[in-house]
């Protein structure tokens, strides 16, 4: 994992009474990805590339991944993965699947000048966290750059997030089924955008808020590991 920088996590916390709240019982927490990218069947990645293209491009396959630091959390009840749409190509509708990842987060981050079919396969197989029909992005640059797609993850994802409480947690992504030949992909040219994992759950710790009465908005700033983003063509 590379290059530390700070990012804020905003949690809407419901508390009652006075004094210090040590554990938030009703928090919505949005975590920025600590690492994201792709592994390919035939194209080596570069150090600064956080593009998360998923599908086929230039006769090469791409599976993507998103890694999150769960250290602020103890337990969650819901989880939604949010990613920016960016470019798509090929058939107008594609089936996108999200999967568990057995490859460790530090190994995933070392996708530089390496081809590893086992990691590629790991990102597109195993325990399914949800399957979604996604339309190819409209030919409108403004929409591509601004539209956020939200994917509500299933109970298997929730269980695995809770099992990884306080650690790094990764999600793999792949196009499923016979999605066509040639350039068939989602999330092409995806730069300057971090995926987000939005969860309802409990925070590990909450700073002393002073006087609590009703809803309290707390912002926690932590260190996150992130690589710089760089795009070349679609990938």
């Amino acid at each position: 994992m590379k290059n530390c920088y700070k990012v804020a996590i905003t949690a809407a916390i419901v508390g009652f009474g006075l004094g210090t709240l040590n554990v938030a019982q009703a928090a919505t927490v949005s975590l920025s990805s600590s690492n994201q990218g792709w592994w390919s069947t035939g194209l080596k990645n570069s150090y600064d590339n956080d593009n998360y293209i998923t599908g086929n491009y230039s006769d090469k396959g791409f599976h993507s991944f998103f890694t999150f630091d769960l250290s602020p959390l103890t337990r969650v009840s819901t989880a939604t993965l949010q990613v920016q749409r960016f470019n798509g190509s090929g058939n107008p509708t594609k089936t996108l699947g999200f999967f568990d990842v057995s490859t460790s987060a530090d190994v995933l981050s070392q996708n530089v000048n390496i081809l590893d079919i086992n990691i590629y396969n790991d990102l597109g197989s195993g325990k399914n966290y949800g399957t979604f029909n996604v339309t190819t992005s409209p030919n409108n640059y403004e929409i591509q750059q601004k539209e956020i797609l939200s994917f509500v993850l299933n109970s298997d994802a929730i269980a695995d997030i809770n099992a990884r409480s306080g650690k790094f947690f990764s999600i793999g992504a792949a196009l499923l089924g016979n999605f066509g030949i040639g350039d068939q992909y989602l999330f092409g040219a995806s730069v300057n955008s971090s995926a987000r994992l939005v969860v309802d759950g409990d925070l590990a710790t909450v700073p002393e808020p002073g006087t609590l009465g009703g809803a309290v908005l707390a912002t926690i700033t932590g260190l996150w590991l992130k690589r710089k983003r760089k795009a070349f063509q679609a990938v």
Side-chain angles (χ1 to χ4, degrees):
M1 315 292 282
K2 311 176 182 75
N3 294 342
C4 291
Y5 78 110
K6 291 184 178 181
V7 64
I9 309 165
T10 300
I13 305 165
V14 178
F16 300 94
L18 302 175
T20 301
L21 182 64
N22 293 319
V23 177
Q25 294 299 322
T28 299
V29 182
S30 181
L31 305 176
S32 292
S33 62
S34 56
N35 192 34
Q36 63 189 43
W38 50 257
W39 286 79
S40 172
T41 57
L43 184 65
K44 295 180 180 180
N45 213 333
S46 65
Y47 181 84
D48 291 334
N49 190 15
D50 266 5
N51 189 303
Y52 49 92
I53 186 172
T54 308
N56 284 339
Y57 176 74
S58 295
D59 297 324
K60 299 174 180 64
F62 293 84
H63 289 169
S64 57
F65 68 92
F66 308 93
T67 299
F68 300 92
D69 183 351
L70 304 182
S71 59
L73 305 173
T74 56
R75 187 171 182 81
V76 306
S77 57
T78 68
T80 300
L81 179 66
Q82 295 183 337
V83 298
Q84 198 163 328
R85 177 185 283 280
F86 289 101
N87 300 341
S89 180
N91 296 340
T93 302
K94 298 176 176 62
T95 302
L96 175 67
F98 295 107
F99 299 91
D100 73 323
V101 178
S102 60
T103 305
S104 65
D106 60 334
V107 173
L108 278 181
S109 71
Q110 302 301 319
N111 56 342
V112 181
N113 295 322
I114 296 173
L115 294 177
D116 192 315
I117 193 63
N118 292 324
I119 295 177
Y120 171 85
N121 288 335
D122 182 28
L123 299 179
S125 62
K127 191 183 302 180
N128 184 278
Y129 288 162
T131 301
F132 306 87
N133 290 327
V134 182
T135 58
T136 300
S137 56
N139 187 23
N140 184 307
Y141 180 81
E142 184 174 355
I143 292 177
Q144 293 172 355
Q145 298 304 304
K146 293 183 178 180
E147 186 176 7
I148 302 298
L149 303 180
S150 294
F151 304 99
V152 178
L153 304 181
N154 62 25
S155 59
D156 285 332
I158 300 300
D160 284 355
I161 290 172
N162 288 326
R164 296 290 299 174
S165 177
K167 303 175 183 178
F168 285 103
F169 170 74
S170 299
I171 301 171
L175 296 189
L176 305 179
N178 183 15
F179 52 84
I181 60 175
D183 288 349
Q184 301 274 350
Y185 59 81
L186 298 171
F187 314 132
S190 44
V191 295
N192 298 321
S193 176
S194 295
R196 303 186 73 84
L197 185 66
V198 181
V199 302
D200 290 323
D202 296 341
L203 292 175
T205 60
V206 177
E208 183 175 353
T211 301
L212 294 177
V216 177
L217 183 65
T219 300
I220 302 173
T221 301
L223 285 177
W224 294 81
L225 302 170
K226 188 69 180 177
R227 295 181 302 161
K228 295 179 181 178
R229 301 176 181 86
K230 178 180 178 182
F232 49 99
Q233 297 181 7
V235 297

